[in-house]
Amino acid sequence: MSGTDRQSDELLATGLLRWFEDLSDRGIFTTDRSLTVRAWNPWLEAQTGIPAGAAVGKPLLALYPSLIDRRLDEYYRNALAGEVHVLSERFHKYLLPISRSLQSIGVSEMAQSARIAPLSVGSEVVGTITVIEDVTERVVSERELRNQISASERARSVAEEASKLKDEFLATLSHEIRTPLNAVLGWARILRTQPRIKSRDHGLEVIERNAASQLRLVEDLLDMARVISGKLRLDLKTIPMEEVVQAAIDVVTPAAVAKSITIATSFDTRRPAVNGDADRLQQAIWNLLANAVKFTESGGRVDVQTAIVGPTVQLTVRDTGQGINRDFLPYLFDRFRQADASASRRHGGLGLGLALVRQIAELHGGSVEAESAGADRGSAFFLRLPISHNELNAPCPQRPESAPVTLKGVGILILDDNDDGREMLVVALREYGAKVKAVATAREALDLLLESRFMPDVLISDVGMPDMDGYEFIRRIRTNAATRELPAIAVTAYANPEDRIRAVVAGY
């Protein structure tokens, strides 16, 4: 080694001692002008698995030939000419290979930043110095931050969509409630103020129809609430699919006849059965049929078919109606979703019917799908339910035609704080010959019963009442020997399963 080389090495060693001590958490190596490695710090030994003795004295490009392929050798030649290059973490795959020991613990790559600079003594460039920093933690943090920002943006978008759906739903709900109520109130006032009006029967028909519409709306809301809370109960039995479908058809037939819509049926001759809740399945099938009738123009056609498809029985409801936009098909069974939620829409509803169909199908272990070729090209719905291999329940024997229902001589006590509801029950029960006594408060009812001034055969009581509610009232009734076994019926608008259980536990 020449005196000049020894002098350069001494200068390098002296100048780099402070760097090696201060930057022990980073990788540092130096080269001379021939790009031969002259220093290699412990950080590099640990990260690459190459000891300093094996690195020092070797040409850098022989130690890492890939630097040439990746054109990083140009940076080193430019550094010898006095240029400084700063490489960001995007070069992490090109600068420092990962040792086998690191690879063995699952480290596949290290995010690195590097500074390649000329090493000068005075004004003379005697070599290069490279400082490498592991920025994996920073890169991971930045990546996580970007992911969090992206997730936050997605969540905001979902929240905005949910808020939009909520606003649309509330607007639709307001419309769906007010419209039938206006008809009910309007006709009620007409009938009250004009008792001799000729269209009295028509007015009563309108009131009944719109009240029934309100009831269906409330029932759909309650059913969806039960589904969301996981409290929808099923009474499973083995039932022929054909019977459930026919029962649903019978319900929608009047609406179809009014629009001159033909309902054609084709049932599988093998009469497949399913394990299901007959009422809930009829509700789901009724929703499919009602939708088909609602969205089919007068004179159209609805085809209803059952068939065995693999391990399932498939109900197909196909119509010649207005069809479904392809863009809306993925959202068809979502809650509160409607293809047209505008004020000018032609058809009413809350957007709950098809959502309930899907939930009921899934609760039965089945599924529901829809297809449509587009607007004005009709649509088809496919409800699939697992076939039951259990023996069908024996049909109930046919009863002879029964005599007209009568409550003649039956004593009934009615307790209801609502004047209209109480009066309605009194009128209805007296029509069937019952002896009816009605009171507005639990105190009045207790006085009648406990003092034996009126001992009915049946008690009908409201639950939600001021001062003493129906639960406390029935508990007091059950503690008295004279009324302990009195049959009692709770009549209430509280319709959750928990309310029914509470009423039974209390004594109804």
Side-chain angles (χ1 to χ4, degrees):
M1 181 181 290
S2 67
T4 302
D5 289 338
R6 281 195 299 272
Q7 184 182 13
S8 296
D9 285 347
E10 290 172 2
L11 290 170
L12 287 172
T14 302
L16 291 172
L17 180 61
R18 182 171 58 81
W19 284 80
F20 275 59
E21 291 176 347
D22 294 346
L23 301 177
S24 59
D25 61 339
R26 303 178 188 184
I28 303 173
F29 68 85
T30 64
T31 72
D32 57 18
R33 288 192 62 84
S34 66
L35 295 183
T36 298
V37 176
R38 293 301 180 187
W40 189 264
N41 81 337
W43 188 92
L44 289 170
E45 290 185 325
Q47 298 298 329
T48 65
I50 301 174
V56 174
K58 276 195 175 182
L60 177 63
L61 300 182
L63 194 63
Y64 290 126
S66 60
L67 294 177
I68 298 175
D69 297 336
R70 293 160 182 169
R71 302 183 64 184
L72 290 179
D73 59 319
E74 293 181 8
Y75 291 155
Y76 284 96
R77 292 192 176 92
N78 292 339
L80 293 173
E83 295 183 11
V84 177
H85 296 279
V86 178
L87 308 182
S88 67
E89 59 270 11
R90 70 175 180 273
F91 294 101
H92 67 272
K93 292 183 179 179
Y94 305 142
L95 192 60
L96 184 66
I98 299 298
S99 68
R100 291 181 180 177
S101 61
L102 289 177
Q103 292 175 1
S104 68
I105 60 174
V107 178
S108 59
E109 60 183 34
M110 177 195 297
Q112 306 163 33
S113 66
R115 183 182 179 90
I116 302 172
L119 185 63
S120 302
V121 177
S123 59
E124 181 184 358
V125 176
V126 296
T128 69
I129 179 169
T130 302
V131 180
I132 302 171
E133 183 179 0
D134 179 2
V135 293
T136 304
E137 185 175 345
R138 188 185 77 197
V139 170
V140 170
S141 297
E142 290 176 353
R143 185 182 300 128
E144 289 178 349
L145 179 60
R146 286 195 296 270
N147 290 339
Q148 290 174 2
I149 292 173
S150 177
S152 179
E153 290 175 348
R154 288 195 300 270
R156 184 182 65 182
S157 176
V158 170
E160 289 174 351
E161 179 66 16
S163 178
K164 178 184 175 184
L165 284 176
K166 180 197 71 175
D167 292 342
E168 289 178 352
F169 171 70
L170 290 176
T172 301
L173 179 62
S174 175
H175 175 269
E176 293 298 310
I177 288 176
R178 288 175 180 272
T179 300
L181 274 181
N182 286 338
V184 169
L185 289 173
W187 272 103
R189 287 169 181 158
I190 291 172
L191 295 175
R192 182 172 57 83
T193 58
Q194 303 178 39
R196 297 182 180 179
I197 187 170
K198 293 182 179 179
S199 53
R200 180 182 180 83
D201 290 342
H202 174 69
L204 292 173
E205 181 185 336
V206 170
I207 290 174
E208 183 179 7
R209 183 173 63 249
N210 282 277
S213 172
Q214 290 285 76
L215 183 60
R216 282 196 301 272
L217 183 150
V218 173
E219 287 174 345
D220 279 353
L221 287 171
L222 288 173
D223 283 341
M224 186 53 67
R226 293 185 187 110
V227 167
I228 293 171
S229 61
K231 296 177 180 178
L232 188 66
R233 301 287 188 266
L234 298 179
D235 180 16
L236 299 178
K237 295 179 180 177
T238 303
I239 48 177
M241 188 68 172
E242 179 182 333
E243 290 185 8
V244 182
V245 175
Q246 188 58 58
I249 291 174
D250 291 342
V251 176
V252 301
T253 295
V257 170
K259 294 179 68 176
S260 300
I261 293 173
T262 301
I263 298 181
T265 59
S266 174
F267 296 131
D268 195 300
T269 56
R270 291 167 287 183
R271 300 186 76 242
V274 296
N275 279 330
D277 184 314
D279 291 336
R280 291 300 178 187
L281 287 178
Q282 184 178 332
Q283 179 185 11
I285 297 167
W286 174 85
N287 269 303
L288 293 178
L289 292 171
N291 255 28
V293 171
K294 179 164 66 172
F295 293 105
T296 298
E297 298 296 338
S298 296
R301 180 185 175 93
V302 175
D303 290 300
V304 182
Q305 179 186 37
T306 62
I308 294 177
V309 179
T312 67
V313 53
Q314 176 176 289
L315 167 71
T316 303
V317 178
R318 192 181 302 273
D319 63 65
T320 59
Q322 69 180 44
I324 305 165
N325 189 300
R326 289 184 180 274
D327 294 336
F328 186 70
L329 270 175
Y331 309 104
L332 187 62
F333 296 97
D334 289 357
R335 291 194 300 269
F336 311 131
R337 287 275 194 172
Q338 298 191 75
D340 181 9
S342 66
S344 59
R345 65 198 182 120
R346 295 171 56 194
H347 304 287
L350 292 179
L352 291 177
L354 292 180
L356 281 171
V357 171
R358 181 174 66 179
Q359 296 293 342
I360 292 171
E362 291 177 354
L363 285 172
H364 284 80
S367 63
V368 64
E369 296 176 3
E371 67 178 31
S372 176
D376 300 320
R377 302 184 67 179
S379 58
F381 289 82
F382 307 96
L383 174 63
R384 300 182 185 93
L385 299 169
I387 294 176
S388 171
H389 297 289
N390 297 331
E391 187 175 340
L392 290 176
N393 295 334
C396 296
Q398 294 292 321
R399 292 182 298 177
E401 190 172 332
S402 58
V405 176
T406 178
L407 295 175
K408 187 175 181 180
V410 177
I412 301 175
L413 175 61
I414 297 172
L415 167 58
D416 194 337
D417 65 318
N418 182 274
D419 295 339
D420 293 335
R422 187 172 66 250
E423 183 183 4
M424 183 273 294
L425 282 174
V426 170
V427 172
L429 293 171
R430 282 179 177 166
E431 284 292 315
Y432 286 94
K435 297 184 295 184
V436 183
K437 182 78 174 177
V439 293
T441 68
R443 295 290 179 188
E444 293 178 82
L446 282 174
D447 289 343
L448 284 173
L449 293 169
L450 301 183
E451 295 176 12
S452 299
R453 288 188 283 143
F454 179 73
M455 187 55 62
D457 298 297
V458 179
L459 167 67
I460 299 176
S461 174
D462 187 16
V463 170
M465 296 181 293
D467 299 327
M468 184 190 301
D469 65 19
Y471 300 119
E472 177 62 25
F473 168 70
I474 196 64
R475 279 192 286 268
R476 294 198 185 188
I477 291 297
R478 294 309 181 209
T479 60
N480 184 273
T483 56
R484 187 172 293 131
E485 303 298 328
L486 175 63
I489 300 170
V491 178
T492 176
Y494 295 109
N496 287 325
E498 292 82 0
D499 298 311
R500 180 183 181 280
I501 294 170
R502 185 181 177 189
V504 172
V505 170
Y508 288 100

